[in-house]
Amino acid sequence: MKYEIYKLKFTTGVHFGSGMLNDSGYTFQADTLFSAMYIEALKGGLEQQLYQMVCSGRLLFSDGLPYVEDLYMIPKPVLYIEPRDRGNSGDKKKYKKLKYLPTDQLDAYLAGNLEPDQDPMKDFGHFSQRTMAAVRREEEALPYQVGIFYYGEGRGLYVIVGYEGQEQLELAENLLDAVSHVGIGGKKSGGLGKFILERGKPGGKLKERLGQTGDHQMLLSCALPRKEEMESAVEGASYLLEKRSGFVTSETYAPELRKKKDLYVFSAGSCFRKTFRGGIYDVSEGGSHPVYRYAVPVFMGV
C-alpha cells in the first residue's frame, strides 16, 4: 500500500456534528469523508468503482486530522503513559487533556518525555454561532443557532489516502477535488465546509510509520472489524468506542427524512496488537436503497 497526504485548506467555517446543532467539532471522521465522496461519485456514475476499490482494500482514507503549518498532528494513542515526573499531578492532568500531538513528538510522548505545555493545538481556531432560519411552507421563518468552527491562519485538516495504484489515486483526487467545491460536513447549503485541496509534503516521520509494524498499530480512522475479525482484533487492544449516527440525505431513499442505523466503531487513536480489514456497512433501515457507513482502518505503527 502506498500513501499520499492531502491538506484541506478551509476557506469557510465548518459545521461538524458533535451532538448539538449549536455546537461544532473541528475534525471529521473517515465515514463523513467517504459519504461526501460517494455522493460526488454518484453524479459521475463512479459509485460502484469507489465502493469496490474500498471494499477490496485498494483504497483507504483516514479521518480528517489537524495540521498546524508544517506539523501534522495525530491522535494521542489510547495507551497508558507515565509522565517522566511521576509526582507532578499537573503534568498528568495535561497529558490526560491532550488530544493530538505532532508525529515527530510521538516517540517522546511514548517515553513520557513530552513537555505537556508545548501544545501546538492551543490556537487552532475559534468557535462561533450563526443564526439561520427554517422556512416551513406558509409558516413564519423559525430562527435557530448553528455552531461553526473557523480555522486559524496556517491551520486546517489533512487526510491520508492509502492506494494500490494510480487508478485508485486518480479517483480519490478527483472526488476530493469535487468535494472541495460543494463542501464537507453540515450546512453546506449555507456555504460551509469549502476548502482548497493541496497535496501535502510531510516529513519522513509520518509516512515512515504508516503500515509500519510495532508493538501496537494505532488507528488513524474510525473503523470496525468484520464479525469474523472481532475476537482477534480486541485481544490485547486498548481502544475507545464511539457511536456513529445521523440522517440519510438521499432524496430517493424515503418520502420523509429518516435516520441511519447507529453503528459503534473504534475511534482514531485506538491501539491494537493485530490489524484487521474492517469494511463498509449498510446502515439503511426500510428505505429504497442501501446506505453505506465506511469503517475501514488506516493504521500507524506505534
Side-chain angles (χ1 to χ4, degrees):
M1 185 66 68
K2 304 172 187 175
Y3 297 94
E4 288 293 342
I5 286 87
Y6 294 89
K7 281 184 173 182
L8 281 56
K9 296 186 170 183
F10 286 94
T11 56
T12 68
V14 299
H15 176 77
F16 296 136
S18 59
M20 297 289 289
L21 185 59
N22 62 357
D23 196 6
S24 175
Y26 55 82
T27 60
F28 60 78
Q29 283 85 348
D31 55 2
T32 297
L33 177 63
F34 177 80
S35 294
M37 294 174 72
Y38 192 85
I39 290 170
E40 295 308 305
L42 280 167
K43 297 175 183 177
L46 299 170
E47 70 279 5
Q48 281 302 311
Q49 189 178 354
L50 174 63
Y51 178 80
Q52 289 167 6
M53 284 181 180
V54 172
C55 284
S56 62
R58 291 177 292 154
L59 185 60
L60 311 171
F61 308 100
S62 72
D63 285 1
L65 301 170
Y67 74 81
V68 177
E69 300 293 352
D70 294 326
L71 293 177
Y72 290 81
M73 313 295 287
I74 56 173
K76 180 180 71 174
V78 183
L79 295 170
Y80 176 73
I81 303 296
E82 187 71 48
R84 177 180 53 190
D85 187 355
R86 298 184 182 186
N88 190 330
S89 60
D91 277 1
K92 288 184 178 180
K93 290 179 181 178
K94 290 173 183 176
Y95 261 65
K96 191 174 182 180
K97 288 181 179 179
L98 197 64
K99 290 185 178 180
Y100 296 95
L101 61 147
T103 311
D104 59 4
Q105 292 184 15
L106 177 59
D107 288 335
Y109 174 80
L110 294 173
N113 295 326
L114 183 68
E115 294 294 338
D117 290 326
Q118 298 175 0
D119 184 5
M121 294 291 293
K122 186 177 179 182
D123 299 310
F124 191 62
H126 70 275
F127 170 82
S128 71
Q129 291 185 335
R130 179 191 298 178
T131 300
M132 294 186 176
V135 181
R136 299 178 180 176
R137 297 181 184 175
E138 304 295 326
E139 301 175 15
E140 273 187 46
L142 299 175
Y144 61 94
Q145 296 292 314
V146 175
I148 302 175
F149 187 85
Y150 294 91
Y151 298 95
E153 185 68 27
R155 288 150 173 77
L157 302 178
Y158 74 94
V159 295
I160 299 166
V161 176
Y163 64 99
E164 185 180 81
Q166 194 62 28
E167 182 185 3
Q168 292 78 38
L169 184 62
E170 286 181 3
L171 179 64
E173 283 189 344
N174 290 337
L175 293 177
L176 282 169
D177 182 65
V179 171
S180 74
H181 298 291
V182 298
I184 188 170
K187 299 302 174 184
K188 296 188 291 291
S189 60
L192 300 180
K194 293 180 172 60
F195 57 89
I196 296 170
L197 184 68
E198 180 182 289
R199 190 175 288 197
K201 298 178 181 178
K205 285 285 185 180
L206 179 56
K207 281 194 174 182
E208 278 177 16
R209 289 185 177 273
L210 293 171
Q212 187 183 65
T213 58
D215 292 339
H216 293 89
Q217 293 289 315
M218 183 176 74
L219 278 180
L220 296 180
S221 64
C222 59
L224 181 66
R226 303 177 188 194
K227 187 176 180 179
E228 65 272 18
E229 296 177 309
M230 184 64 76
E231 185 176 350
S232 173
V234 299
E235 185 178 348
S238 180
Y239 55 84
L240 294 174
L241 286 172
E242 62 178 303
K243 183 173 76 171
R244 302 297 293 155
S245 55
F247 289 90
V248 180
T249 57
S250 169
E251 295 179 358
T252 61
Y253 180 72
E256 69 285 341
L257 192 63
R258 291 194 186 179
K259 288 196 72 175
K260 302 174 186 177
K261 284 182 183 177
D262 294 340
L263 187 71
Y264 285 86
V265 298
F266 295 120
S267 301
S270 298
C271 294
F272 300 85
R273 296 283 187 182
K274 300 176 183 177
T275 60
F276 55 87
R277 285 186 61 188
I280 293 179
Y281 297 87
D282 184 0
V283 291
S284 61
E285 194 163 25
S288 62
H289 59 74
V291 177
Y292 297 124
R293 175 77 74 186
Y294 179 97
V296 182
V298 172
F299 285 110
M300 166 184 277
V302 295

